[in-house]
Amino acid sequence: MNLKQLSELLGLSQTTISRALNGYPEVNAQTRLRVLKAAQETGYRPNRAARRLATGKAGSIGLIMPIASEQSADIHFAEFQRGLADECLAHEFHFVIMPSQPDEEEQAIRGLVSSGSVDAYYLAYMRPRDSRIAMAKSLPTPFIVHGRSLGLAEDYPYVDVDNERAFREATELLLDLGHRRFALINGPADLDFAIRRQIGVEKALAARGLRLSPSAISNTLMTDASGYRQMETILRGEVRPTAVLCASTVLALGAVRAINQAGLVLGRDISLIAHDDDLMLLKPENFIVPLTTTGSSLRDAGRRIAERLITAVADPDADMPIAELWTAELVVRASTGPAPRTP
């Protein structure tokens, strides 16, 4: 089945069918449903090269992927990409990843946009005063930010989790349980989400007349091996904390291993709260001692970002919020308990 045959079958012009399949708003809902139903029943798949010639659209959204030798595989990125891919598949969009050196991202974005191979793209791994945002605003191609950038006016489209609030509320829970000695195992120090999480912890402590010692803060890659190493170091310190916050369940996996090897009981001798990105392969409730978490789905974030980009391509005048700030859910489980009376 080709476009001409589908046109004859439905008694519609080839242009109308193409526009219906690509979600153009000028095609009414009844016609769009009729075309989609016929395409599904006949097995019609549009020729992407022909569709691009007809519509001027590539049918693709993109990402610049910074690659550095010291980086390891990231389960969080994979989870986000799964949600993005689900939405792209539902709308027959392609997803284009262009690798680049970390210091060449802006040049790579300009190259991706000028190539015409994507209709829209998103920015990730945000940093304070991130110069990529100003550059993206200067280009004609739609974009959205996964996260935010401290120090810049929030006048750009984004989807983010309220990381500061999540870790402030987690710290307040531990304070209410009587904890006074804290440690934070955080993500890389130059990334916006990690900075905001530390701010949340520090604000909650400051409200109770406490502070987070610089020696109790560690910034690291989000892997279980890193979590293990950082927790080992913390436990060897002069003053052992009774409460630890981890930036991910992956870090917590290693941290819990170090706690167990030290002969400590999670939830009794030391309490731990982790941020849970709702990873399919690592559920906090399945730990031997189920983890208390601040939860937000990376897969849902990926799906939402793809939905907004595809809408921006198909209907540039659609009424969409510029900013979406999601609230993480605090779920209390057995890894948190009252502060022990002795260290």
Side-chain angles (χ1 to χ4, degrees), residues 175-245:
L175 287 165
D176 290 342
L177 288 169
H179 293 276
R180 295 297 181 268
R181 299 197 304 274
F182 285 76
L184 172 63
I185 303 177
N186 208 350
D190 62 332
L191 295 184
D192 181 272
F193 80 87
I195 297 170
R196 292 181 191 270
R197 289 176 185 179
Q198 181 174 330
I199 290 172
V201 175
E202 290 174 336
K203 284 186 174 180
L205 292 176
R208 307 285 181 100
L210 302 172
R211 63 185 291 270
L212 190 61
S213 169
S215 63
I217 304 168
S218 58
N219 294 95
T220 184
L221 296 175
M222 308 271 273
T223 67
D224 62 324
S226 296
Y228 176 79
R229 288 192 298 269
Q230 298 301 327
M231 193 72 243
E232 265 199 324
T233 300
I234 289 168
L235 293 177
R236 288 197 303 263
E238 291 184 9
V239 180
R240 194 183 76 204
T242 64
V244 179
L245 295 108

Side-chain angles (χ1 to χ4, degrees), residues 62-63 77 80-81 84 95 120-124 144 146 305 309:
L63 163 72
F77 179 75
F80 178 87
Q81 296 299 92
L84 194 93
F95 182 56
Y121 62 97
Y122 77 94
L123 301 176
I144 191 169
H146 182 212
I305 282 176
L309 288 175

Side-chain angles (χ1 to χ4, degrees), residues 243-260:
V244 179
L245 295 108
C246 290
S248 75
T249 49
V250 178
L251 284 170
L253 183 63
V256 169
R257 182 156 53 94
I259 289 169
N260 291 337

